[in-house]
């Protein structure tokens, strides 16, 4: 039977790469509508991404881009819980919560989230126990350092080897805490304490992580490295580079792609799937 994730009752089949649409619930800096406006905007955006073909949504209330500042617990809850409640009600796709705080994990699953996306790979105090108790799939991502300073001077002797070792250890720790292996997803964490060269090596050698035996998530959407490679300084101009990177990630084994631009990525995967479906030439013919 083909692998799948049971996200709190909502099944996510992994017979082919699936698209995780990004929903950031950050203050709507344009309107003075405050929290309410950003919740409404986030819900509308999530519905739009599902309409474009997103197989699941990732809801985050705290930006973790390089140099970002932490968001207090109460603030994060005020942002993401209403959005998760409404999207879980108004769509049928699994909802992932992008958080590393155990309290947010618990509240999010209670509100209808069926997956946890933890950029700290359950290293925060209480996170392992929370994830084990909640019984939903968890994404374990590699990050070197912290978002505030991780891009200052990223250094590795062997980036693939070190990321592989980290993910191996986090999988072991998660299983020892009682999290079933069928609920574990790994992620090399593109851009989290990596130079563009490190990101390129990780993408080129992505198949190296398949021996861990669990689904892999890749997220390169609109990231700085894509901008550097294409000379696109504005994130909004990084669509083609992002689609190319995610197609490569899918071809090299990623089963979950975390993207902003769902429709474009859906189209790229459709073209690849069609070509992939053409029978190979019989070499012994
Ligand atoms: C929240 N977030 C931003 N980038 C990400 C990535 O590449 N992977 C995961 N799992 N989460 C991410």
């Amino acid at each position: 039977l083909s692998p799948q994730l049971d996200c709190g009752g909502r099944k996510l089949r992994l017979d082919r790469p699936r698209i995780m649409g990004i929903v950031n619930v950050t203050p709507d800096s344009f309107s003075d509508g405050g929290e309410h406006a950003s919740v409404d905007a986030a819900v509308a955006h999530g519905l739009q991404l599902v309409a474009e073909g997103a197989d699941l949504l990732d809801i985050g209330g705290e930006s973790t881009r390089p140099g970002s500042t932490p968001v207090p617990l109460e603030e994060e809850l005020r942002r993401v819980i209403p959005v998760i409640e409404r999207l879980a009600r108004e769509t049928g796709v699994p909802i992932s919560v992008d958080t590393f705080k155990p309290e947010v994990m618990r509240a999010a699953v209670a509100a209808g989230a069926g997956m946890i996306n933890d950029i700290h790979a359950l290293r925060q105090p209480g996170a392992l126990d929370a994830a084990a108790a909640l019984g939903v799939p968890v994404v374990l991502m590699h990050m070197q350092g912290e978002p505030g300073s991780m891009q200052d001077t990223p250094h590795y002797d062997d980036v693939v080897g070190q990321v592989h070792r980290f993910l191996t250890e986090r999988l072991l720790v998660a299983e020892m805490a009682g999290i079933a292996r069928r609920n574990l997803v790994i992620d090399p964490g593109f851009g989290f304490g990596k130079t563009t060269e490190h990101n390129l090596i990780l993408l080129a050698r992505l198949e190296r992580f398949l021996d861990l035996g669990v689904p892999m998530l890749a997220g390169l959407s609109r990231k700085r490295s894509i901008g550097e490679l294409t000379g696109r300084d504005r994130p909004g101009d990084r669509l083609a580079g992002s689609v190319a990177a995610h197609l490569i990630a899918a071809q090299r084994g990623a089963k979950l792609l975390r993207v902003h631009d769902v429709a474009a990525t859906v189209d790229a995967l459709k073209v690849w799937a069609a070509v992939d479906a053409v029978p190979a030439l019989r070499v012994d013919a």
Side-chain angles (χ1 to χ4, degrees):
L1 74 167
S2 73
Q4 69 174 21
L5 293 172
D6 182 345
C7 304
R10 297 187 182 186
K11 302 283 193 273
L12 185 68
R13 290 190 56 215
L14 298 178
D15 52 326
R16 58 181 165 81
R18 298 291 172 169
I19 295 178
M20 172 190 261
I22 298 169
V23 179
N24 289 324
V25 194
T26 46
D28 188 337
S29 46
F30 303 108
S31 79
D32 59 1
E35 233 106 76
H36 192 67
S38 51
V39 165
D40 288 347
V43 171
H45 188 61
L47 294 172
Q48 167 67 26
L49 295 184
V50 171
E52 290 183 18
D55 297 296
L56 72 160
L57 297 174
D58 192 31
I59 319 296
E62 173 175 19
S63 167
T64 51
R65 69 169 55 84
S68 53
T69 51
V71 166
L73 169 63
E74 291 313 319
E75 168 84 18
E76 187 176 346
L77 287 168
R78 269 199 312 276
R79 289 180 186 178
V80 300
I81 300 307
V83 175
I84 290 171
E85 274 170 353
R86 283 177 53 186
L87 282 173
R89 222 179 17 247
E90 297 176 31
T91 74
V93 305
I95 306 289
S96 164
V97 60
D98 158 19
T99 189
F100 48 81
K101 299 188 183 75
E103 303 90 339
V104 179
M105 295 174 186
R106 292 178 189 273
V109 171
M115 182 186 285
I116 294 164
N117 176 24
D118 185 351
I119 65 166
H120 279 261
L122 299 178
R123 284 177 290 166
Q124 297 295 311
L128 263 179
D129 295 341
L134 293 168
V136 297
V138 185
V139 179
L140 303 174
M141 192 196 81
H142 174 270
M143 167 164 55
Q144 184 183 71
E146 300 286 333
S149 57
M150 64 189 175
Q151 289 307 114
D152 295 353
T153 53
H155 172 74
Y156 300 81
D157 295 326
D158 164 20
V159 60
V160 172
Q162 288 172 247
V163 172
H164 191 283
R165 231 181 338 275
F166 173 88
L167 294 174
T168 301
E169 183 239 321
R170 295 316 297 168
L171 284 170
L172 201 59
V173 167
E175 286 190 83
M176 289 193 300
I179 300 174
R181 198 165 182 86
R182 70 175 181 288
N183 276 343
L184 291 171
V185 176
I186 53 152
D187 181 339
F190 289 103
F192 286 86
K194 283 100 177 175
T195 63
T196 293
E197 190 193 7
H198 295 139
N199 291 323
L200 283 174
I201 293 168
L202 286 167
L203 183 53
R205 299 173 188 166
L206 204 60
E207 287 153 315
R208 178 77 179 71
F209 299 103
L210 298 179
D211 68 354
L212 291 170
V214 297
M216 174 165 50
L217 185 148
L220 295 114
S221 189
R222 302 183 181 176
K223 287 188 175 175
R224 199 162 303 201
S225 290
I226 302 293
E228 275 181 38
L229 294 170
T230 56
R232 302 292 184 181
D233 296 340
R234 292 180 310 202
D237 293 340
R238 298 171 184 167
L239 171 61
S242 301
V243 169
H246 288 122
L247 183 60
I248 292 165
Q251 291 176 328
R252 297 182 190 210
K255 282 284 181 274
L256 291 168
L257 305 171
R258 184 175 179 279
V259 309
H260 297 90
D261 305 290
V262 171
T265 311
V266 166
D267 286 359
L269 292 181
K270 280 180 178 168
V271 171
W272 173 45
V275 172
D276 213 36
V278 172
L281 275 178
R282 284 173 54 79
V283 289
D284 56 5

